[in-house]
Amino acid sequence: MALTSQIKTIAVIGAGQMGSGIAQVAAQAGFQVIICDNRSEGLNKAVQGIEKSLAKLFEKGKIDEHPPAILGRIKKTTQLSDLVSADFIIEAIHENEALKKEIFSQLDKIMPAHVTFASNTSSLPITRLASATLRPQQFIGMHFMNPVPIMGLVEIIRGHSTSNETYEITKLLSEKMGKVTVCSQDYPGFIVNRILMPMINEAFYTLMEGIANAEDIDAGMKLGTNQPMGPLTLADFIGLDTCYAIMKVLHDGLGDSKYRPCPLLKKYVDAGHFGKKTGQGVYKY
């Protein structure tokens, strides 16, 4: 397995909000980055977004290196086979277990034996994802927070077979990207979403049952518990579809009725109102 000093190139699979953010912080940390997505337009949009983000950070004095130099370390591709030169893989596609497994199964056949696989999944079992490969000891969860360039945490999740060396490498890489790490065992929701999502789900029950309107729920939690934003606003920023998917994982994985997704949350998702990314969620954008 590659030592951290030997990791020169990081591949990121998925050019959405999370994938582009991970690619950005990896490039900022000095790594060569290959970002892979099956949509060329998605890749172009991701690079444009990274360019804007870097320009803002440079303007504010948050980074010293000139944005064009950082961007020069990012390459894009639509082919998994182009990732063969990478030393570390981070998958960041949407929460679809079957698709993630298919990608990792393909990568397992393509990538050299020393390469570590990490998934940015926010709730899916790492042990199950690792089972799609012949390298479960080199498979780990690496859950970045959104927006990646701003949020300081990476939640590292150890699967059943994850080796100590894989954990240490992932921790050091995260720190090199400027992140603080916490370590979770492989149980539904891990640490952050095991605690956060039931709170968000309960906010939807509070709204559904008419206890208060959305604005008062958010103001109450924001000012009453000193959170930067209320739970319904946060849900809109995360994506109501993502919140619903995570609650289903918690409910299915733990079997406790307290994790049952709120019917109102499901109703928003069924209507296609996913939050900020679609322009409509609990609030309009």
Side-chain angles (χ1 to χ4, degrees):
M1 185 182 293
L3 300 172
T4 48
S5 60
Q6 296 172 327
I7 294 175
K8 308 295 183 187
T9 302
I10 294 176
V12 180
I13 300 170
Q17 191 172 19
M18 294 303 294
S20 61
I22 294 167
Q24 177 180 326
V25 296
Q28 283 175 214
F31 294 103
Q32 297 295 318
V33 177
I34 309 169
I35 184 166
C36 180
D37 197 288
N38 60 3
R39 303 165 302 118
S40 294
E41 64 275 17
L43 287 167
N44 293 334
K45 185 178 177 184
V47 171
Q48 288 166 8
I50 292 169
E51 190 172 10
K52 286 179 185 174
S53 175
L54 290 172
K56 284 181 184 175
L57 290 172
F58 187 74
E59 230 177 77
K60 293 177 180 177
K62 303 286 186 181
I63 55 173
D64 297 323
E65 190 175 12
H66 287 275
I70 298 171
L71 275 171
R73 291 194 284 272
I74 300 174
K75 294 179 181 176
K76 53 190 180 180
T77 182
T78 58
Q79 303 298 319
L80 288 178
S81 57
D82 289 339
L83 308 184
V84 70
S85 62
D87 306 301
F88 195 97
I89 301 275
I90 305 173
E91 168 273 314
I93 68 166
H94 59 281
E95 294 289 83
N96 181 319
E97 183 173 342
L99 185 55
K100 287 178 188 283
K101 281 184 170 181
E102 175 58 29
I103 288 171
F104 281 122
S105 177
Q106 290 180 47
L107 287 169
D108 201 39
K109 297 177 179 73
I110 296 168
M111 301 305 297
H114 70 274
V115 177
T116 297
F117 291 174
S119 176
N120 181 59
T121 179
S122 54
S123 61
L124 295 172
I126 297 304
T127 303
R128 282 214 306 260
L129 294 178
S131 71
T133 77
L134 297 175
R135 60 184 88 196
Q137 298 88 352
Q138 291 159 240
F139 200 107
I140 198 161
M142 196 178 187
H143 180 208
F144 290 80
M145 305 295 128
N146 187 28
V148 178
I150 305 300
M151 300 294 280
L153 182 72
V154 169
E155 184 178 34
I156 299 175
I157 305 97
R158 300 186 64 145
H160 180 71
S161 301
T162 303
S163 71
N164 289 335
E165 187 178 3
T166 295
Y167 169 72
E168 290 299 333
I169 284 172
T170 306
K171 184 174 188 292
L172 288 169
L173 281 181
S174 302
E175 290 169 352
K176 191 168 180 181
M177 293 185 212
K179 306 302 182 185
V180 174
T181 66
V182 294
C183 181
S184 172
Q185 296 302 311
D186 191 18
Y187 292 102
F190 316 135
I191 299 169
V192 175
N193 282 327
R194 177 73 177 265
I195 297 166
L196 174 64
M197 286 301 155
M199 182 192 75
I200 286 174
N201 199 48
E202 198 61 31
F204 277 93
Y205 273 114
T206 305
L207 180 62
M208 184 181 77
E209 293 168 12
I211 294 169
N213 63 33
E215 290 79 5
D216 284 355
I217 292 167
D218 275 351
M221 292 303 293
K222 182 179 176 181
L223 300 175
T225 62
N226 203 28
Q227 297 181 34
M229 65 179 73
L232 297 173
T233 300
L234 178 57
D236 273 357
F237 276 74
I238 293 169
L240 303 192
D241 53 335
T242 301
C243 294
Y244 179 60
I246 295 170
M247 285 309 302
K248 286 202 294 182
V249 168
L250 288 172
H251 191 224
D252 294 345
L254 298 168
D256 193 318
S257 61
K258 72 180 180 180
Y259 298 112
R260 182 172 70 97
C262 177
L264 180 59
L265 174 58
K266 183 178 186 299
K267 191 174 181 181
Y268 278 110
V269 172
D270 288 345
H273 296 164
F274 297 163
K276 192 171 187 293
K277 61 188 173 185
T278 59
Q280 170 96 45
V282 177
Y283 302 100
K284 287 185 179 177
Y285 298 90

